[in-house]
């Protein structure tokens, strides 16, 4: 089994209501890797390249994943 690098996660959420306990966390401390997780499930980590991360965040900003509609 491959050992997971020591990601240094940073919370990326703004202050939230107490009813919403989870918060997305991102780590960029490992060169060539962006890691993403939910603070409520810290053992589940999604990794991607910085280029894939940029495409994902651009799509989010453009509203492509708007689930409020």
């Amino acid at each position: 089994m491959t050992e997971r690098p020591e990601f240094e996660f940073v919370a990326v959420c703004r202050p939230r209501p107490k009813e919403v306990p989870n918060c997305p966390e991102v780590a960029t401390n490992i060169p060539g890797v962006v890691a993403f997780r939910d603070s409520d499930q810290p053992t589940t980590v999604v990794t991607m390249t910085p280029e894939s991360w940029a495409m994902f965040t651009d799509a989010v900003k453009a509203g492509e994943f708007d689930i409020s509609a």
Side-chain angles (χ1 to χ4, degrees):
M1 184 160 101
T2 303
E3 191 172 318
R4 182 184 300 174
E6 287 297 319
F7 295 115
E8 296 173 7
F9 286 96
V10 177
V12 295
C13 60
R14 298 178 188 174
R16 300 176 137 203
K18 292 178 186 174
E19 306 86 52
V20 183
N22 64 327
C23 182
E25 298 177 330
V26 176
T28 58
N29 64 300
I30 305 296
V33 178
V34 176
F36 184 75
R37 71 179 184 186
D38 183 327
S39 62
D40 277 354
Q41 297 184 17
T43 60
T44 302
V45 177
V46 176
T47 60
M48 59 190 75
T49 65
E51 295 80 15
S52 293
W53 178 255
M55 287 189 309
F56 172 69
T57 56
D58 287 346
V60 169
K61 292 174 191 176
E64 290 184 35
F65 302 109
D66 185 0
I67 59 172
S68 64

